[in-house]
mmCIF file with all atom_site columns, all heavy atoms in Angstrom:
data_model
loop_
_atom_site.group_PDB
_atom_site.id
_atom_site.type_symbol
_atom_site.label_atom_id
_atom_site.label_alt_id
_atom_site.label_comp_id
_atom_site.label_asym_id
_atom_site.label_entity_id
_atom_site.label_seq_id
_atom_site.pdbx_PDB_ins_code
_atom_site.Cartn_x
_atom_site.Cartn_y
_atom_site.Cartn_z
_atom_site.occupancy
_atom_site.B_iso_or_equiv
_atom_site.pdbx_formal_charge
_atom_site.auth_seq_id
_atom_site.auth_comp_id
_atom_site.auth_asym_id
_atom_site.auth_atom_id
_atom_site.pdbx_PDB_model_num
ATOM 1   N N   . SER A 1 1  ? -22.508 22.163 7.399  1.00 0.00 ? 22 SER A N   1
ATOM 2   C CA  . SER A 1 1  ? -22.996 20.792 7.827  1.00 0.00 ? 22 SER A CA  1
ATOM 3   C C   . SER A 1 1  ? -24.222 20.367 7.076  1.00 0.00 ? 22 SER A C   1
ATOM 4   O O   . SER A 1 1  ? -24.409 19.153 6.745  1.00 0.00 ? 22 SER A O   1
ATOM 5   C CB  . SER A 1 1  ? -23.378 20.906 9.329  1.00 0.00 ? 22 SER A CB  1
ATOM 6   O OG  . SER A 1 1  ? -24.422 21.786 9.531  1.00 0.00 ? 22 SER A OG  1
ATOM 7   N N   . LEU A 1 2  ? -24.990 21.241 6.625  1.00 0.00 ? 23 LEU A N   1
ATOM 8   C CA  . LEU A 1 2  ? -26.226 20.900 5.639  1.00 0.00 ? 23 LEU A CA  1
ATOM 9   C C   . LEU A 1 2  ? -25.684 20.829 4.240  1.00 0.00 ? 23 LEU A C   1
ATOM 10  O O   . LEU A 1 2  ? -26.420 20.224 3.388  1.00 0.00 ? 23 LEU A O   1
ATOM 11  C CB  . LEU A 1 2  ? -27.241 22.033 5.729  1.00 0.00 ? 23 LEU A CB  1
ATOM 12  C CG  . LEU A 1 2  ? -27.975 22.153 6.961  1.00 0.00 ? 23 LEU A CG  1
ATOM 13  C CD1 . LEU A 1 2  ? -28.953 23.321 6.971  1.00 0.00 ? 23 LEU A CD1 1
ATOM 14  C CD2 . LEU A 1 2  ? -28.649 20.959 7.415  1.00 0.00 ? 23 LEU A CD2 1
ATOM 15  N N   . GLN A 1 3  ? -24.567 21.362 3.829  1.00 0.00 ? 24 GLN A N   1
ATOM 16  C CA  . GLN A 1 3  ? -23.996 21.172 2.557  1.00 0.00 ? 24 GLN A CA  1
ATOM 17  C C   . GLN A 1 3  ? -23.280 19.808 2.341  1.00 0.00 ? 24 GLN A C   1
ATOM 18  O O   . GLN A 1 3  ? -22.737 19.482 1.301  1.00 0.00 ? 24 GLN A O   1
ATOM 19  C CB  . GLN A 1 3  ? -22.990 22.325 2.160  1.00 0.00 ? 24 GLN A CB  1
ATOM 20  C CG  . GLN A 1 3  ? -23.776 23.621 2.106  1.00 0.00 ? 24 GLN A CG  1
ATOM 21  C CD  . GLN A 1 3  ? -22.798 24.772 1.910  1.00 0.00 ? 24 GLN A CD  1
ATOM 22  O OE1 . GLN A 1 3  ? -21.516 24.576 1.888  1.00 0.00 ? 24 GLN A OE1 1
ATOM 23  N NE2 . GLN A 1 3  ? -23.363 26.017 1.865  1.00 0.00 ? 24 GLN A NE2 1
ATOM 24  N N   . GLY A 1 4  ? -23.150 19.041 3.538  1.00 0.00 ? 25 GLY A N   1
ATOM 25  C CA  . GLY A 1 4  ? -22.498 17.774 3.283  1.00 0.00 ? 25 GLY A CA  1
ATOM 26  C C   . GLY A 1 4  ? -21.058 17.667 3.627  1.00 0.00 ? 25 GLY A C   1
ATOM 27  O O   . GLY A 1 4  ? -20.419 16.798 3.352  1.00 0.00 ? 25 GLY A O   1
ATOM 28  N N   . ARG A 1 5  ? -20.496 18.852 4.247  1.00 0.00 ? 26 ARG A N   1
ATOM 29  C CA  . ARG A 1 5  ? -19.165 18.689 4.623  1.00 0.00 ? 26 ARG A CA  1
ATOM 30  C C   . ARG A 1 5  ? -18.931 19.559 5.950  1.00 0.00 ? 26 ARG A C   1
ATOM 31  O O   . ARG A 1 5  ? -19.883 20.256 6.439  1.00 0.00 ? 26 ARG A O   1
ATOM 32  C CB  . ARG A 1 5  ? -18.265 19.256 3.592  1.00 0.00 ? 26 ARG A CB  1
ATOM 33  C CG  . ARG A 1 5  ? -18.353 20.742 3.199  1.00 0.00 ? 26 ARG A CG  1
ATOM 34  C CD  . ARG A 1 5  ? -17.480 21.096 2.082  1.00 0.00 ? 26 ARG A CD  1
ATOM 35  N NE  . ARG A 1 5  ? -17.413 22.560 1.884  1.00 0.00 ? 26 ARG A NE  1
ATOM 36  C CZ  . ARG A 1 5  ? -16.732 23.466 2.421  1.00 0.00 ? 26 ARG A CZ  1
ATOM 37  N NH1 . ARG A 1 5  ? -15.881 23.037 3.331  1.00 0.00 ? 26 ARG A NH1 1
ATOM 38  N NH2 . ARG A 1 5  ? -16.898 24.713 2.168  1.00 0.00 ? 26 ARG A NH2 1
ATOM 39  N N   . GLN A 1 6  ? -17.826 19.256 6.561  1.00 0.00 ? 27 GLN A N   1
ATOM 40  C CA  . GLN A 1 6  ? -17.628 19.838 7.900  1.00 0.00 ? 27 GLN A CA  1
ATOM 41  C C   . GLN A 1 6  ? -17.087 21.368 7.725  1.00 0.00 ? 27 GLN A C   1
ATOM 42  O O   . GLN A 1 6  ? -16.633 21.782 6.716  1.00 0.00 ? 27 GLN A O   1
ATOM 43  C CB  . GLN A 1 6  ? -16.536 19.109 8.621  1.00 0.00 ? 27 GLN A CB  1
ATOM 44  C CG  . GLN A 1 6  ? -16.823 17.868 9.159  1.00 0.00 ? 27 GLN A CG  1
ATOM 45  C CD  . GLN A 1 6  ? -15.668 17.331 9.881  1.00 0.00 ? 27 GLN A CD  1
ATOM 46  O OE1 . GLN A 1 6  ? -14.712 17.935 10.336 1.00 0.00 ? 27 GLN A OE1 1
ATOM 47  N NE2 . GLN A 1 6  ? -15.770 15.942 10.192 1.00 0.00 ? 27 GLN A NE2 1
ATOM 48  N N   . PRO A 1 7  ? -17.311 22.216 8.651  1.00 0.00 ? 28 PRO A N   1
ATOM 49  C CA  . PRO A 1 7  ? -16.692 23.495 8.670  1.00 0.00 ? 28 PRO A CA  1
ATOM 50  C C   . PRO A 1 7  ? -15.170 23.400 8.623  1.00 0.00 ? 28 PRO A C   1
ATOM 51  O O   . PRO A 1 7  ? -14.783 22.511 9.250  1.00 0.00 ? 28 PRO A O   1
ATOM 52  C CB  . PRO A 1 7  ? -17.247 24.268 9.760  1.00 0.00 ? 28 PRO A CB  1
ATOM 53  C CG  . PRO A 1 7  ? -17.671 23.164 10.753 1.00 0.00 ? 28 PRO A CG  1
ATOM 54  C CD  . PRO A 1 7  ? -18.034 22.047 9.966  1.00 0.00 ? 28 PRO A CD  1
ATOM 55  N N   . ASN A 1 8  ? -14.437 24.270 8.087  1.00 0.00 ? 29 ASN A N   1
ATOM 56  C CA  . ASN A 1 8  ? -12.921 24.330 8.044  1.00 0.00 ? 29 ASN A CA  1
ATOM 57  C C   . ASN A 1 8  ? -12.403 23.019 7.375  1.00 0.00 ? 29 ASN A C   1
ATOM 58  O O   . ASN A 1 8  ? -11.527 22.398 7.880  1.00 0.00 ? 29 ASN A O   1
ATOM 59  C CB  . ASN A 1 8  ? -12.413 24.510 9.321  1.00 0.00 ? 29 ASN A CB  1
ATOM 60  C CG  . ASN A 1 8  ? -12.776 26.002 9.858  1.00 0.00 ? 29 ASN A CG  1
ATOM 61  O OD1 . ASN A 1 8  ? -13.029 26.815 9.042  1.00 0.00 ? 29 ASN A OD1 1
ATOM 62  N ND2 . ASN A 1 8  ? -12.841 26.023 11.067 1.00 0.00 ? 29 ASN A ND2 1
ATOM 63  N N   . SER A 1 9  ? -13.045 22.417 6.386  1.00 0.00 ? 30 SER A N   1
ATOM 64  C CA  . SER A 1 9  ? -12.477 21.303 5.657  1.00 0.00 ? 30 SER A CA  1
ATOM 65  C C   . SER A 1 9  ? -12.473 21.407 4.150  1.00 0.00 ? 30 SER A C   1
ATOM 66  O O   . SER A 1 9  ? -13.344 22.205 3.731  1.00 0.00 ? 30 SER A O   1
ATOM 67  C CB  . SER A 1 9  ? -13.252 20.049 6.122  1.00 0.00 ? 30 SER A CB  1
ATOM 68  O OG  . SER A 1 9  ? -14.471 20.113 5.593  1.00 0.00 ? 30 SER A OG  1
ATOM 69  N N   . ILE A 1 10 ? -11.598 20.719 3.585  1.00 0.00 ? 31 ILE A N   1
ATOM 70  C CA  . ILE A 1 10 ? -11.443 20.722 2.117  1.00 0.00 ? 31 ILE A CA  1
ATOM 71  C C   . ILE A 1 10 ? -11.574 19.283 1.535  1.00 0.00 ? 31 ILE A C   1
ATOM 72  O O   . ILE A 1 10 ? -10.702 18.469 1.975  1.00 0.00 ? 31 ILE A O   1
ATOM 73  C CB  . ILE A 1 10 ? -10.137 21.412 1.620  1.00 0.00 ? 31 ILE A CB  1
ATOM 74  C CG1 . ILE A 1 10 ? -9.926  22.746 2.238  1.00 0.00 ? 31 ILE A CG1 1
ATOM 75  C CG2 . ILE A 1 10 ? -10.106 21.355 0.077  1.00 0.00 ? 31 ILE A CG2 1
ATOM 76  C CD1 . ILE A 1 10 ? -8.450  23.319 2.146  1.00 0.00 ? 31 ILE A CD1 1
ATOM 77  N N   . PRO A 1 11 ? -12.658 18.950 0.789  1.00 0.00 ? 32 PRO A N   1
ATOM 78  C CA  . PRO A 1 11 ? -12.864 17.614 0.485  1.00 0.00 ? 32 PRO A CA  1
ATOM 79  C C   . PRO A 1 11 ? -11.645 17.220 -0.510 1.00 0.00 ? 32 PRO A C   1
ATOM 80  O O   . PRO A 1 11 ? -11.166 17.983 -1.396 1.00 0.00 ? 32 PRO A O   1
ATOM 81  C CB  . PRO A 1 11 ? -14.179 17.554 -0.249 1.00 0.00 ? 32 PRO A CB  1
ATOM 82  C CG  . PRO A 1 11 ? -14.562 18.888 -0.404 1.00 0.00 ? 32 PRO A CG  1
ATOM 83  C CD  . PRO A 1 11 ? -13.701 19.755 0.367  1.00 0.00 ? 32 PRO A CD  1
ATOM 84  N N   . ASN A 1 12 ? -11.169 16.010 -0.400 1.00 0.00 ? 33 ASN A N   1
ATOM 85  C CA  . ASN A 1 12 ? -10.035 15.392 -1.209 1.00 0.00 ? 33 ASN A CA  1
ATOM 86  C C   . ASN A 1 12 ? -10.840 14.810 -2.450 1.00 0.00 ? 33 ASN A C   1
ATOM 87  O O   . ASN A 1 12 ? -12.051 14.550 -2.564 1.00 0.00 ? 33 ASN A O   1
ATOM 88  C CB  . ASN A 1 12 ? -9.314  14.262 -0.603 1.00 0.00 ? 33 ASN A CB  1
ATOM 89  C CG  . ASN A 1 12 ? -8.335  14.783 0.610  1.00 0.00 ? 33 ASN A CG  1
ATOM 90  O OD1 . ASN A 1 12 ? -8.204  15.950 0.578  1.00 0.00 ? 33 ASN A OD1 1
ATOM 91  N ND2 . ASN A 1 12 ? -7.959  13.951 1.309  1.00 0.00 ? 33 ASN A ND2 1
ATOM 92  N N   . LYS A 1 13 ? -10.010 14.653 -3.641 1.00 0.00 ? 34 LYS A N   1
ATOM 93  C CA  . LYS A 1 13 ? -10.583 14.035 -4.717 1.00 0.00 ? 34 LYS A CA  1
ATOM 94  C C   . LYS A 1 13 ? -10.983 12.626 -4.395 1.00 0.00 ? 34 LYS A C   1
ATOM 95  O O   . LYS A 1 13 ? -10.261 11.933 -3.591 1.00 0.00 ? 34 LYS A O   1
ATOM 96  C CB  . LYS A 1 13 ? -9.464  14.034 -5.898 1.00 0.00 ? 34 LYS A CB  1
ATOM 97  C CG  . LYS A 1 13 ? -9.137  15.383 -6.392 1.00 0.00 ? 34 LYS A CG  1
ATOM 98  C CD  . LYS A 1 13 ? -8.077  15.220 -7.458 1.00 0.00 ? 34 LYS A CD  1
ATOM 99  C CE  . LYS A 1 13 ? -7.660  16.472 -7.864 1.00 0.00 ? 34 LYS A CE  1
ATOM 100 N NZ  . LYS A 1 13 ? -6.516  16.487 -8.840 1.00 0.00 ? 34 LYS A NZ  1
ATOM 101 N N   . LYS A 1 14 ? -12.097 12.130 -5.005 1.00 0.00 ? 35 LYS A N   1
ATOM 102 C CA  . LYS A 1 14 ? -12.609 10.772 -4.807 1.00 0.00 ? 35 LYS A CA  1
ATOM 103 C C   . LYS A 1 14 ? -11.581 9.640  -5.261 1.00 0.00 ? 35 LYS A C   1
ATOM 104 O O   . LYS A 1 14 ? -11.180 9.712  -6.386 1.00 0.00 ? 35 LYS A O   1
ATOM 105 C CB  . LYS A 1 14 ? -14.031 10.645 -5.507 1.00 0.00 ? 35 LYS A CB  1
ATOM 106 C CG  . LYS A 1 14 ? -14.603 9.322  -5.476 1.00 0.00 ? 35 LYS A CG  1
ATOM 107 C CD  . LYS A 1 14 ? -15.307 9.304  -4.011 1.00 0.00 ? 35 LYS A CD  1
ATOM 108 C CE  . LYS A 1 14 ? -16.173 7.970  -3.999 1.00 0.00 ? 35 LYS A CE  1
ATOM 109 N NZ  . LYS A 1 14 ? -16.242 7.612  -2.607 1.00 0.00 ? 35 LYS A NZ  1
ATOM 110 N N   . THR A 1 15 ? -11.213 8.934  -4.313 1.00 0.00 ? 36 THR A N   1
ATOM 111 C CA  . THR A 1 15 ? -10.261 7.853  -4.614 1.00 0.00 ? 36 THR A CA  1
ATOM 112 C C   . THR A 1 15 ? -11.054 6.497  -4.282 1.00 0.00 ? 36 THR A C   1
ATOM 113 O O   . THR A 1 15 ? -11.619 6.443  -3.251 1.00 0.00 ? 36 THR A O   1
ATOM 114 C CB  . THR A 1 15 ? -9.005  7.894  -3.950 1.00 0.00 ? 36 THR A CB  1
ATOM 115 O OG1 . THR A 1 15 ? -9.235  8.019  -2.478 1.00 0.00 ? 36 THR A OG1 1
ATOM 116 C CG2 . THR A 1 15 ? -8.200  9.092  -4.368 1.00 0.00 ? 36 THR A CG2 1
ATOM 117 N N   . GLU A 1 16 ? -10.831 5.535  -5.105 1.00 0.00 ? 37 GLU A N   1
ATOM 118 C CA  . GLU A 1 16 ? -11.337 4.156  -4.888 1.00 0.00 ? 37 GLU A CA  1
ATOM 119 C C   . GLU A 1 16 ? -10.485 3.435  -3.931 1.00 0.00 ? 37 GLU A C   1
ATOM 120 O O   . GLU A 1 16 ? -9.450  3.417  -4.195 1.00 0.00 ? 37 GLU A O   1
ATOM 121 C CB  . GLU A 1 16 ? -11.542 3.388  -6.256 1.00 0.00 ? 37 GLU A CB  1
ATOM 122 C CG  . GLU A 1 16 ? -12.107 2.141  -6.113 1.00 0.00 ? 37 GLU A CG  1
ATOM 123 C CD  . GLU A 1 16 ? -13.632 2.036  -6.431 1.00 0.00 ? 37 GLU A CD  1
ATOM 124 O OE1 . GLU A 1 16 ? -14.138 2.996  -6.884 1.00 0.00 ? 37 GLU A OE1 1
ATOM 125 O OE2 . GLU A 1 16 ? -14.265 1.060  -5.791 1.00 0.00 ? 37 GLU A OE2 1
ATOM 126 N N   . ASP A 1 17 ? -11.062 2.989  -2.931 1.00 0.00 ? 38 ASP A N   1
ATOM 127 C CA  . ASP A 1 17 ? -10.280 2.054  -2.014 1.00 0.00 ? 38 ASP A CA  1
ATOM 128 C C   . ASP A 1 17 ? -10.674 0.605  -2.151 1.00 0.00 ? 38 ASP A C   1
ATOM 129 O O   . ASP A 1 17 ? -11.709 0.123  -1.625 1.00 0.00 ? 38 ASP A O   1
ATOM 130 C CB  . ASP A 1 17 ? -10.485 2.503  -0.464 1.00 0.00 ? 38 ASP A CB  1
ATOM 131 C CG  . ASP A 1 17 ? -9.640  1.850  0.410  1.00 0.00 ? 38 ASP A CG  1
ATOM 132 O OD1 . ASP A 1 17 ? -8.707  1.219  0.054  1.00 0.00 ? 38 ASP A OD1 1
ATOM 133 O OD2 . ASP A 1 17 ? -9.823  2.152  1.667  1.00 0.00 ? 38 ASP A OD2 1
ATOM 134 N N   . PRO A 1 18 ? -9.769  -0.124 -2.880 1.00 0.00 ? 39 PRO A N   1
ATOM 135 C CA  . PRO A 1 18 ? -10.120 -1.491 -3.205 1.00 0.00 ? 39 PRO A CA  1
ATOM 136 C C   . PRO A 1 18 ? -10.172 -2.425 -1.874 1.00 0.00 ? 39 PRO A C   1
ATOM 137 O O   . PRO A 1 18 ? -10.771 -3.514 -1.834 1.00 0.00 ? 39 PRO A O   1
ATOM 138 C CB  . PRO A 1 18 ? -9.026  -1.947 -4.101 1.00 0.00 ? 39 PRO A CB  1
ATOM 139 C CG  . PRO A 1 18 ? -7.887  -1.082 -3.905 1.00 0.00 ? 39 PRO A CG  1
ATOM 140 C CD  . PRO A 1 18 ? -8.501  0.209  -3.374 1.00 0.00 ? 39 PRO A CD  1
ATOM 141 N N   . VAL A 1 19 ? -9.480  -1.990 -0.881 1.00 0.00 ? 40 VAL A N   1
ATOM 142 C CA  . VAL A 1 19 ? -9.313  -2.824 0.417  1.00 0.00 ? 40 VAL A CA  1
ATOM 143 C C   . VAL A 1 19 ? -10.687 -2.573 1.301  1.00 0.00 ? 40 VAL A C   1
ATOM 144 O O   . VAL A 1 19 ? -11.077 -3.620 1.844  1.00 0.00 ? 40 VAL A O   1
ATOM 145 C CB  . VAL A 1 19 ? -8.099  -2.433 1.146  1.00 0.00 ? 40 VAL A CB  1
ATOM 146 C CG1 . VAL A 1 19 ? -7.955  -3.293 2.410  1.00 0.00 ? 40 VAL A CG1 1
ATOM 147 C CG2 . VAL A 1 19 ? -6.831  -2.699 0.352  1.00 0.00 ? 40 VAL A CG2 1
ATOM 148 N N   . ALA A 1 20 ? -11.236 -1.457 1.258  1.00 0.00 ? 41 ALA A N   1
ATOM 149 C CA  . ALA A 1 20 ? -12.219 -1.212 2.191  1.00 0.00 ? 41 ALA A CA  1
ATOM 150 C C   . ALA A 1 20 ? -13.458 -1.924 1.889  1.00 0.00 ? 41 ALA A C   1
ATOM 151 O O   . ALA A 1 20 ? -14.410 -2.277 2.759  1.00 0.00 ? 41 ALA A O   1
ATOM 152 C CB  . ALA A 1 20 ? -12.436 0.354  2.217  1.00 0.00 ? 41 ALA A CB  1
ATOM 153 N N   . GLY A 1 21 ? -13.584 -2.250 0.645  1.00 0.00 ? 42 GLY A N   1
ATOM 154 C CA  . GLY A 1 21 ? -14.901 -2.911 0.184  1.00 0.00 ? 42 GLY A CA  1
ATOM 155 C C   . GLY A 1 21 ? -16.121 -1.948 0.092  1.00 0.00 ? 42 GLY A C   1
ATOM 156 O O   . GLY A 1 21 ? -16.043 -0.812 0.239  1.00 0.00 ? 42 GLY A O   1
ATOM 157 N N   . LYS A 1 22 ? -17.244 -2.602 -0.158 1.00 0.00 ? 43 LYS A N   1
ATOM 158 C CA  . LYS A 1 22 ? -18.464 -1.811 -0.141 1.00 0.00 ? 43 LYS A CA  1
ATOM 159 C C   . LYS A 1 22 ? -19.535 -2.116 0.818  1.00 0.00 ? 43 LYS A C   1
ATOM 160 O O   . LYS A 1 22 ? -19.701 -3.334 1.080  1.00 0.00 ? 43 LYS A O   1
ATOM 161 C CB  . LYS A 1 22 ? -19.133 -2.065 -1.652 1.00 0.00 ? 43 LYS A CB  1
ATOM 162 C CG  . LYS A 1 22 ? -20.225 -1.234 -1.958 1.00 0.00 ? 43 LYS A CG  1
ATOM 163 C CD  . LYS A 1 22 ? -20.529 -1.386 -3.440 1.00 0.00 ? 43 LYS A CD  1
ATOM 164 C CE  . LYS A 1 22 ? -21.628 -0.297 -3.801 1.00 0.00 ? 43 LYS A CE  1
ATOM 165 N NZ  . LYS A 1 22 ? -21.989 -0.526 -5.231 1.00 0.00 ? 43 LYS A NZ  1
ATOM 166 N N   . VAL A 1 23 ? -20.154 -1.125 1.537  1.00 0.00 ? 44 VAL A N   1
ATOM 167 C CA  . VAL A 1 23 ? -21.117 -1.381 2.531  1.00 0.00 ? 44 VAL A CA  1
ATOM 168 C C   . VAL A 1 23 ? -22.508 -1.248 1.786  1.00 0.00 ? 44 VAL A C   1
ATOM 169 O O   . VAL A 1 23 ? -22.825 -0.391 1.202  1.00 0.00 ? 44 VAL A O   1
ATOM 170 C CB  . VAL A 1 23 ? -20.891 -0.330 3.652  1.00 0.00 ? 44 VAL A CB  1
ATOM 171 C CG1 . VAL A 1 23 ? -22.113 -0.484 4.587  1.00 0.00 ? 44 VAL A CG1 1
ATOM 172 C CG2 . VAL A 1 23 ? -19.560 -0.415 4.243  1.00 0.00 ? 44 VAL A CG2 1
ATOM 173 N N   . ASN A 1 24 ? -23.275 -2.311 2.069  1.00 0.00 ? 45 ASN A N   1
ATOM 174 C CA  . ASN A 1 24 ? -24.604 -2.424 1.432  1.00 0.00 ? 45 ASN A CA  1
ATOM 175 C C   . ASN A 1 24 ? -25.714 -2.155 2.508  1.00 0.00 ? 45 ASN A C   1
ATOM 176 O O   . ASN A 1 24 ? -26.895 -2.452 2.111  1.00 0.00 ? 45 ASN A O   1
ATOM 177 C CB  . ASN A 1 24 ? -24.866 -3.632 0.662  1.00 0.00 ? 45 ASN A CB  1
ATOM 178 C CG  . ASN A 1 24 ? -23.934 -3.715 -0.487 1.00 0.00 ? 45 ASN A CG  1
ATOM 179 O OD1 . ASN A 1 24 ? -23.679 -2.760 -1.158 1.00 0.00 ? 45 ASN A OD1 1
ATOM 180 N ND2 . ASN A 1 24 ? -23.337 -4.955 -0.879 1.00 0.00 ? 45 ASN A ND2 1
ATOM 181 N N   . THR A 1 25 ? -25.393 -1.824 3.698  1.00 0.00 ? 46 THR A N   1
ATOM 182 C CA  . THR A 1 25 ? -26.387 -1.621 4.766  1.00 0.00 ? 46 THR A CA  1
ATOM 183 C C   . THR A 1 25 ? -27.301 -0.372 4.294  1.00 0.00 ? 46 THR A C   1
ATOM 184 O O   . THR A 1 25 ? -26.717 0.672  3.861  1.00 0.00 ? 46 THR A O   1
ATOM 185 C CB  . THR A 1 25 ? -25.674 -1.239 6.049  1.00 0.00 ? 46 THR A CB  1
ATOM 186 O OG1 . THR A 1 25 ? -24.821 -2.450 6.345  1.00 0.00 ? 46 THR A OG1 1
ATOM 187 C CG2 . THR A 1 25 ? -26.863 -1.291 7.070  1.00 0.00 ? 46 THR A CG2 1
#
């Protein structure tokens, strides 16, 4: 949890989602 990911999870390759847009908050 301190390393930035959940236990028992494998991060996927970073993919750009053109539909989701960018959050600037």
Side-chain angles (χ1 to χ4, degrees):
S22 59
L23 294 178
Q24 293 176 357
R26 62 182 185 92
Q27 290 185 14
N29 296 330
S30 70
I31 303 164
N33 290 345
K34 293 179 183 174
K35 181 78 173 154
T36 56
E37 182 95 17
D38 188 6
V40 178
K43 190 173 185 181
V44 177
N45 291 323
T46 308

